[in-house]
């Protein structure tokens, strides 16, 4: 077993072929208000851009 992993090598993630193994989760939770499912003024531009 190799204890080191080269994070900058290509990686297959399902049907996606990534250029490296460094992945960042979407940061959409920071656009929510204090209440549950409470959108803020940042929500409309987010959904329009999708």
């Amino acid at each position: 077993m190799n204890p080191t992993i080269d994070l900058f090598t290509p990686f297959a993630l399902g049907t996606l072929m990534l250029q490296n193994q460094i992945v960042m989760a979407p940061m959409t939770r920071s656009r929510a208000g204090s209440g549950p499912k409470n959108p803020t003024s940042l929500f409309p531009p987010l959904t329009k851009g999708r």
Side-chain angles (χ1 to χ4, degrees):
M1 186 166 117
N2 188 354
T4 61
I5 298 172
D6 184 6
L7 296 177
F8 298 101
T9 58
F11 179 72
L13 180 64
T15 59
L16 296 174
M17 189 63 185
L18 305 177
Q19 292 182 3
N20 56 55
Q21 298 182 36
I22 302 170
V23 188
M24 187 172 171
M27 297 178 62
T28 56
R29 290 183 182 210
S30 65
R31 298 174 186 261
S34 59
K37 300 181 183 177
N38 193 9
T40 65
S41 62
L42 295 172
F43 188 72
L46 170 68
T47 55
K48 185 178 179 182
R50 288 185 178 181

